[in-house]
Every structure is written in C-alpha cells, then in structure tokens.
Amino acid sequence: MGSLSLSVETNSFSNGASTTHQRLSGLMEGRHFERFIEKLSISLVCLPVAEIRAEIDRWLKEIVLCNDLDRAAITQIDPKSGKLVVRQSWSRDNRLKLPDGFEVSRPAPWFDNYLMSGQTLVYSKVSEVPREFVSKDWNIFRRYIPKSNISVPLRMAGDVVGSVGFASFRREREWSPRSVRRFESVAAIIGSALERRRAVEENTLLRHELSHVARAAVMGQLTASLTHQLNQPIAAALSNAEAIQSMLESERPDLEELRGAISDVVQDNLRAADVIKGLRLFFRKDQIQKIPVDLGQLVADVVRMLGSDALFRNASLTFESPPSLPLIVGDRVQLQQAILNLILNAFDAVEGGDARQVSANVFVDGDCLKVTVCDSGKGIDPATVPRMYEPFFTTKPKGMGMGLAIAQSIVRAHGGSLTARRNADRGSTFEISFPAPRKELPAT
Ligand code: ADP
C-alpha cells in the first residue's frame, strides 16, 4: 500500500495526532483512493448484516480523520415525520456530535429538499450558501453550521432515502470535482451496504410469512449485493483512469507505472464482468419449464459430466440411486445447475485433504425424494452457516459466493428445501428434499 497507510490503527487518532492527519489528509485527492474504496467495499460486503452499523461507524471515523474533516453523518428519512433525521454519525469533537434521531432540517429547512432532489450539496465557505435557503436567523444559523460541507444523497435501490455528509468546522476548504466524485463513490458503497441490510431484514421477514415468494426475495437481496459488488470495481477503474490521465499530463510519463495502472483497469473490468457472468442464471428470461424429471437420471448425468473434474482434482466421485424413482415436475437445466453447484463445492471442500471422497445419492425418504451430496472435507465452519446462502458470501480466495444462493433459489422454486449438516466423522452433507412425488417410474 506504499507509504500511505489507509488502515490506520484507531489508536493513532485517539489524541487527534496532527502528524498522522497531515500525512493522511487529502485521501480523496490521492492515488490511494482505489485501495481505500476496495477495503471499504470488501469490509462492508463480507460482514453479517448485524455488524454493518458498527463497521460503517468505523469507516466514517476513518474518512473524517484521513481527510482532516470534523464530522461525518448519515441521515435517512423518518417514515413518521417524512424529515431527514440522523441515523449514525462520527465526530472528532464530542461537542459536534449529532444525536441519533436529530432532525437535520430544523436549522436549515432547505436541506431536505435540496438533497431529496438528488443533488450533492457542496460549499467551501458559509457565504456560498444562498441566503434565501435559510428562512430566518441567519446570524444564529451561520454560527452552527460547518465552515465547509459536502452532503451526498444516499440512495437505496435507486431512490434517494437520505444523505451522507462530511463537514469541516475548523477551516474552510476547497472540494475539487474529483474529491466530490469520490465522496459520492463512498456514499454509493454505504448505500448499497444499507440496502443489503434492508433486503436481508425484509427477506428474513418474508421467509417466515411467505415461503412461496422466497425466490423474489432472493432477487431483491441479490440486486442489492450486485450493486455493492459492481460499485467497487467501477470506482477503482475510474480512479485508475484518472491516475492515467494525470500521468499522461507529465512531460515524461513513467511507462512502467502507466502499464501497471492500465492493467489494473483491465482487472477491474474483468472483475465486474465476472460478477455479471455469475448472475446469468438469475436473469434468464425463460420461465421454469415444468416437465416430469427423473432425479436419479438427472444426478447421474451431472456426475458423468463432472467425471473429468474429479480426475483432475484427484477426488473420487460416486453415485447411488435405486433403479426406479418417482418423478418430480421441474426444470432439468436448473435442477442440474443446483446439483452441480453442490458437487463443485464438495470438490473444493476435499481439496488438500488425504481422503478426497464425494458421493451423490438419490433416494426416497418417507414422503420425500432426496438428493444428498456428501464430502469428506473439513466440514462447514459453524461461523459461515448463518451466511452461506447469501449471494456473494464466500470464504474462498477466488470464490464467487453464488453457488449456494443459486442452488437454494432453484430448489425453493421447485417447492423443495436445501439443508446442510456436518457429518459425524468428517466433512459435510448437503441435502435437497422435494415433497410428495406423484408418479412412479417403471422399474428398469
Ligand atoms: P463459493 O463456492 O463461491 O464460495 P457458495 O455459495 O457455493 O460460494 O458457498 C458459500 C460458502 O459456503 C463457501 O465459501 C464455503 O465457506 C461454504 N461451503 C459451501 N459448501 C461447502 C462444503 N461442502 N463444505 C464446507 N463449506 C462449504
């Protein structure tokens, strides 16, 4: 990360150490912004939703300190009053702290309308605030507002729902167009993290109440995560492109550095393309094709298809199914996709172990038709269980985090359920269960 450390330890700020601030001030202008954005984005996308608030607090603090500002605050519309109220904030000085629930438009009635129209509010000095914006008591007003301020509309699912504001009380400052854009990127990432939290909360509620619309809820959650995932490479690409622009302006550009920055842009683009590729299945326009499917045959096909993968990974892949099974009604390709995802995960789980065994089994259990995929891997880490079906959640260095989200969505769309457990001896078992199949296949 070079000489400019963005992950400054909290302690170095606790006494307002000015040397640290000097060194870090101007983060929104510097070349290290894309690393900052990357870290912000990764930290917010990886966290369980319950921890998002605390993590945003940490980042608000870091942004204030790294840019020598005094306060950062997030506001949202209060559903009861329709006014913008403070949801969370961090201030360098406790006297500037805005209490949660504080109605920001009280001293500045124009503030709500301006932001809700989707415009970023930027002023470098108080005299730039148009007097007509302030209804009365200008002299009192100017004593309390920041000397310089930038407030960016906070968007969720495209709608403005509040603002993310950054204020300087100690001194006036200039905001370059580039730094304004960068604050806007930060607000976009915070917005998508909050959107993910909202979608997960709504999704949890929906799951209890309306299990049949689970797929739609996953779609909402997925869209929120997608926005989050795409914001990061896009902001990084923009930042790198700007760096290239300024390098080209110098008389003798450093070709090596230019090459590095261009290859970063290419990587950012590839990352964005990967995210989109992983979603193709969800965005397919065609409806589920409901035809009678022999699950035994279908799983056998997937196992055959993955035979060379098993060889390549030095793993054994076995398959068992009774000769005749009831048919279920469903979409062949989607069901294959769900089972393929489970088997590929099982291969990943056994990688590096001494016994690399994966087995797929289809059988009838009471009124249910079940498919299990068992592996002899490390077993599911209990810490990942609450999040493993979330889109984009992954513990793998090159994972996409879509395998289980897609599998679960497909299984649910077919009226089934997907569960996972640790095996008594080693590894884990993922089990798909479909209820009450209707027809019997003739025995072969
Ligand atoms: P990805 O495989 O890209 O990580 P998935 O949605 O398929 O995405 O899986 C999410 C996470 O669930 C994995 O990163 C891993 O931590 C956990 N997981 C999935 N399958 C297994 C398995 N068979 N054994 C242990 N952990 C698993």
Side-chain angles (χ1 to χ4, degrees):
M1 168 168 326
S3 60
L4 189 125
S5 162
L6 300 172
S7 58
V8 185
E9 317 80 71
T10 316
N11 285 346
S12 54
F13 294 119
S14 56
N15 57 2
S18 59
T19 49
T20 317
H21 299 166
Q22 292 308 315
R23 194 159 61 86
L24 295 176
S25 70
L27 167 64
M28 292 297 166
E29 295 289 342
R31 265 212 70 200
H32 296 269
F33 176 73
E34 75 264 24
R35 301 296 302 272
F36 171 80
I37 278 284
E38 193 177 348
K39 291 179 71 185
L40 171 69
S41 184
I42 289 171
S43 78
L44 288 178
V45 85
C46 292
L47 275 184
V49 289
E51 290 167 34
I52 285 179
R53 183 185 166 88
E55 186 66 5
I56 289 180
D57 263 343
R58 209 177 69 72
W59 283 104
L60 292 183
K61 175 178 178 180
E62 188 145 341
I63 293 167
V64 167
L65 295 171
C66 291
N67 291 283
D68 199 24
L69 295 164
D70 296 301
R71 185 172 72 200
I74 297 177
T75 69
Q76 273 178 259
I77 299 167
D78 178 47
K80 281 196 205 118
S81 66
K83 301 276 187 196
L84 286 180
V85 297
V86 174
R87 285 279 182 247
Q88 65 185 110
S89 69
W90 192 86
S91 320
R92 180 189 291 277
D93 181 330
N94 263 345
R95 282 169 301 176
L96 295 173
K97 190 151 178 58
L98 290 168
D100 286 2
F102 178 79
E103 203 178 284
V104 281
S105 57
R106 225 184 299 147
W110 47 272
F111 186 81
D112 282 16
N113 293 343
Y114 195 89
L115 284 160
M116 296 314 289
S117 71
Q119 301 176 77
T120 296
L121 169 76
V122 188
Y123 66 84
S124 294
K125 39 184 183 283
V126 177
S127 58
E128 287 175 9
V129 179
R131 287 284 288 275
E132 63 270 23
F133 277 1
V134 187
S135 56
K136 52 182 179 173
D137 302 331
W138 169 253
N139 285 330
I140 298 175
F141 169 76
R142 66 176 300 150
R143 241 185 285 149
Y144 290 107
I145 65 165
K147 283 207 169 80
S148 261
N149 185 70
I150 171 163
S151 291
V152 183
L154 174 72
R155 288 189 162 83
M156 286 197 214
D159 298 328
V160 180
V161 296
S163 72
V164 186
F166 304 93
S168 171
F169 282 84
R170 288 165 301 147
R171 61 184 177 94
E172 293 175 345
R173 53 189 298 164
E174 291 299 319
W175 312 92
S176 72
R178 172 193 282 195
S179 67
V180 171
R181 276 203 304 279
R182 289 178 166 187
F183 278 112
E184 287 171 344
S185 298
V186 169
I189 289 172
I190 290 177
S192 33
L194 294 176
E195 191 182 329
R196 178 166 72 88
R197 184 176 68 186
R198 185 176 71 178
V200 169
E201 285 165 358
E202 283 174 4
N203 192 11
T204 313
L205 250 179
L206 275 174
R207 255 186 228 160
H208 289 307
E209 292 169 5
L210 303 159
S211 59
H212 65 280
V213 294
R215 189 160 193 259
V218 171
M219 283 294 286
Q221 193 176 332
L222 191 71
T223 315
S225 301
L226 173 68
T227 319
H228 197 129
Q229 287 288 316
L230 288 178
N231 271 336
Q232 194 260 319
I234 288 170
L238 175 69
S239 176
N240 274 313
E242 284 175 345
I244 293 168
Q245 262 174 349
S246 51
M247 281 185 234
L248 288 173
E249 276 158 20
S250 87
E251 260 179 34
R252 302 184 60 191
D254 178 338
L255 288 184
E256 207 41 50
E257 214 183 330
L258 262 177
R259 245 177 243 125
I262 290 171
S263 117
D264 282 353
V265 175
V266 173
Q267 288 307 320
D268 295 334
N269 273 284
L270 290 177
R271 232 176 328 148
D274 265 358
V275 171
I276 292 164
K277 233 186 281 166
L279 289 168
R280 218 168 259 159
L281 194 95
F282 268 93
F283 291 112
R284 266 186 10 183
K285 288 251 163 52
D286 43 333
Q287 293 294 312
I288 289 184
Q289 284 188 0
K290 299 252 178 186
I291 55 163
V293 175
D294 174 1
L295 262 187
Q297 194 57 51
L298 185 139
V299 178
D301 290 344
V302 178
V303 167
R304 202 171 310 118
M305 199 160 66
L306 289 176
S308 51
D309 276 66
L311 259 177
F312 181 70
R313 292 167 180 252
N314 203 9
S316 79
L317 175 59
T318 57
F319 168 64
E320 271 182 44
S321 163
S324 96
L325 281 168
L327 294 171
I328 68 156
V329 175
D331 183 303
R332 274 191 75 78
V333 179
Q334 289 205 358
L335 290 168
Q336 277 178 342
Q337 176 76 50
I339 288 148
L340 182 113
N341 290 0
L342 298 185
I343 299 180
L344 289 178
N345 274 346
F347 281 159
D348 287 342
V350 298
E351 203 166 285
D354 31 320
R356 303 180 187 179
Q357 288 155 3
V358 176
S359 63
N361 306 290
V362 187
F363 55 96
V364 175
D365 182 10
D367 274 349
C368 295
L369 185 53
K370 292 188 172 176
V371 182
T372 55
V373 175
C374 313
D375 67 66
S376 61
K378 293 179 290 286
I380 310 159
D381 177 353
T384 70
V385 172
R387 300 204 56 206
M388 66 186 182
Y389 297 105
E390 269 181 37
F392 296 114
F393 174 80
T394 181
T395 56
K396 301 171 193 169
K398 291 199 172 156
M400 172 68 77
M402 291 301 294
L404 290 182
I406 288 175
Q408 188 187 54
S409 163
I410 292 171
V411 169
R412 284 184 172 171
H414 285 79
S417 62
L418 171 61
T419 53
R421 56 179 179 268
R422 281 175 81 94
N423 298 335
D425 47 353
R426 62 203 302 188
S428 16
T429 297
F430 281 77
E431 180 177 288
I432 298 174
S433 176
F434 294 109
R438 291 180 208 131
K439 290 186 197 162
E440 292 282 327
L441 261 189
T444 48

